[in-house]
Amino acid sequence: MRSNKVKTAVLRPDSDPMGAAIYDYHKSGNAAALVVHSSMFEDDEIPVPDLFRVYEDMPELERIALDLAEGRILDVGAGSGCHSLALKKMDKTAVAIDISPLSVEVMKERGVDAHEVNLYDPSFAEKFDTVLMLMNGTGIIGTLENMPSFFARMKELLNPGGSILIDSSDLRYLFEEEDGSLMIDLADDYYGLLDYQMQYRDVLGEPFDWLYVDFDTLAFYAEENGFEIELVAEGEHYDYLARLTPAL
Ligand code: SAH
């Protein structure tokens, strides 16, 4: 069941599969399979070493985002802290937040200014010049219904003149026929809305909504919610990096 209310809590350490994988890899240089279950697809795996990527190994869109990030930077859903650490190397100032207690522990050990905070928790009341959301950053928005809450929250977090750098992909290729037409049932939910549940060893997380959103749909919601949008760059496979700035 989908709930309309945006969650503001962090994860319990015993239902934090991705954090457990990040923790193992940090401690031992090894990790078991981090499995992603979804009702829409076969089980998939996230390669845990990829979560520890360095600037040189990052997809181009992420490198562009790191190059553009300026001022006081908020790394949202920071995971192992890979982007915050790359920013630190570039002498930029990043604050990392994540709902995963184990990830935050690892980030602290790696020298990241990391906090166990849910993006939507209003008690986190700091201000930033750049909000960075990477590796399908729109995932954390969860659903299209959450767009207004997301943009309202961003207005609270951004300094005047600040902006969000966020990446996503248009999942249309999953539904495309050979002739280019789309096999999408318009009565269904938006095609980029996935339900995910992660598992690492015997640690099973709670199911959650994870949104992939095409640029035009994101642009529609940005405008509805008082933001300007710029297509910064496009990747090789339906992916893109966008900059969102509150409209004056
Ligand atoms: N940005 C990292 C990790 C991406 S995975 C990277 O590129 O490698 C997404 C991360 O977002 C996970 O670590 C998850 O715990 C975190 N997350 C999910 N919802 C969140 C929320 N509402 N607030 C903060 N972090 C969140």
Side-chain angles (χ1 to χ4, degrees):
M1 262 311 255
R2 225 160 252 151
S3 127
N4 290 328
K5 214 162 162 279
V6 174
K7 297 197 179 87
T8 59
V10 296
L11 303 177
R12 291 194 326 267
D14 62 354
S15 63
D16 178 13
M18 188 187 254
I22 285 177
Y23 186 88
D24 272 5
Y25 192 83
H26 171 66
K27 288 290 178 193
S28 70
N30 271 306
L34 177 58
V35 179
V36 184
H37 306 289
S38 168
S39 68
M40 283 94 140
F41 303 104
E42 303 276 295
D43 283 359
D44 203 359
E45 264 184 42
I46 298 180
V48 180
D50 286 4
L51 297 172
F52 286 78
R53 62 202 180 279
V54 293
Y55 183 89
E56 290 71 24
D57 302 331
M58 286 175 187
E60 193 188 3
L61 295 182
E62 294 187 5
R63 283 187 271 130
I64 295 171
L66 294 177
D67 293 345
L68 290 174
E70 58 182 14
R72 190 156 188 263
I73 302 159
L74 180 65
D75 182 1
V76 178
S80 79
C82 57
H83 297 115
S84 289
L85 285 168
L87 290 166
K88 200 174 171 182
K89 267 195 166 172
M90 298 161 87
D91 284 326
K92 299 187 182 189
T93 309
V95 175
I97 58 170
D98 205 294
I99 54 172
S100 154
L102 290 167
S103 299
V104 169
E105 191 177 331
V106 168
M107 285 197 270
K108 286 182 175 160
E109 284 187 18
R110 299 180 85 202
V112 176
D113 181 4
H115 305 269
E116 205 181 302
V117 165
N118 187 313
L119 173 66
Y120 296 102
D121 179 353
S123 67
F124 181 70
E126 299 185 24
K127 298 271 187 197
F128 298 90
D129 303 299
T130 304
V131 173
L132 206 58
M133 299 180 72
L134 296 178
M135 196 174 146
N136 189 43
T138 64
I140 291 177
I141 304 173
T143 64
L144 293 178
E145 290 73 47
N146 287 347
M147 286 284 183
S149 320
F150 168 71
F151 283 110
R153 181 68 181 131
M154 287 296 132
K155 283 180 190 159
E156 291 171 0
L157 288 167
L158 283 170
N159 275 326
S163 61
I164 308 160
L165 291 166
I166 190 162
D167 66 348
S168 192
S169 300
D170 183 350
L171 290 194
R172 62 182 297 140
Y173 62 87
L174 294 175
F175 306 95
E176 229 159 29
E177 299 288 282
E178 275 174 21
D179 64 0
S181 63
L182 285 192
M183 273 287 292
I184 288 171
D185 185 344
L186 293 176
D188 275 358
D189 285 331
Y190 172 65
Y191 64 82
L193 176 60
L194 303 189
D195 62 312
Y196 274 169
Q197 186 171 26
M198 311 252 267
Q199 182 165 11
Y200 180 73
R201 299 185 191 273
D202 57 352
V203 185
L204 186 64
E206 296 285 329
F208 58 94
D209 295 322
W210 192 249
L211 180 69
Y212 288 83
V213 63
D214 66 278
F215 181 79
D216 288 344
T217 302
L218 183 60
F220 171 82
Y221 284 97
E223 200 177 314
E224 289 259 291
N225 291 284
F227 274 72
E228 286 172 3
I229 188 164
E230 175 199 346
L231 180 62
V232 177
E234 284 182 288
E236 282 165 12
H237 196 65
Y238 298 85
D239 48 334
Y240 66 89
L241 174 69
R243 185 201 282 276
L244 294 159
T245 313
L248 293 175

